[in-house]
Amino acid sequence: MYLRGLLSDGKRKSMQPMGERLGVDHQRLQQFVTTSTWDHVEVRRRLAVWARDFVDPDAFAVDDT
């Protein structure tokens, strides 16, 4: 549900707006993020590889965010 919320339409990707769009209690989403044992480092690595291959960038821009 959390990933579906991140990938859904909508400008705000915080828990409460995502919960409203998904029709679930936003506290369920928050609990998943704060207490689950999934390896976020591996997920981010795989996402970066997918994005690089999908977008095929000519350059990268890095900022302080």
Side-chain angles (χ1 to χ4, degrees):
M1 290 299 261
Y2 177 69
L3 293 176
R4 190 177 294 161
L6 290 176
L7 296 172
S8 67
D9 291 337
K11 292 181 181 180
R12 298 195 55 221
K13 300 296 182 177
S14 57
M15 300 301 169
Q16 195 161 5
M18 285 193 318
E20 289 173 6
R21 284 192 299 273
L22 295 168
V24 298
D25 182 8
H26 72 278
Q27 290 180 350
R28 286 178 59 192
L29 299 174
Q30 183 67 45
Q31 185 176 12
F32 168 75
V33 170
T34 58
T35 62
S36 65
T37 58
W38 57 288
D39 183 7
H40 70 279
V41 174
E42 179 63 15
V43 171
R44 293 181 100 183
R45 186 192 68 74
R46 288 183 185 200
L47 179 60
V49 169
W50 174 85
R52 181 200 63 212
D53 295 342
F54 182 77
V55 175
D56 191 26
D58 293 324
F60 292 96
V62 180
D63 66 14
D64 61 346
T65 59

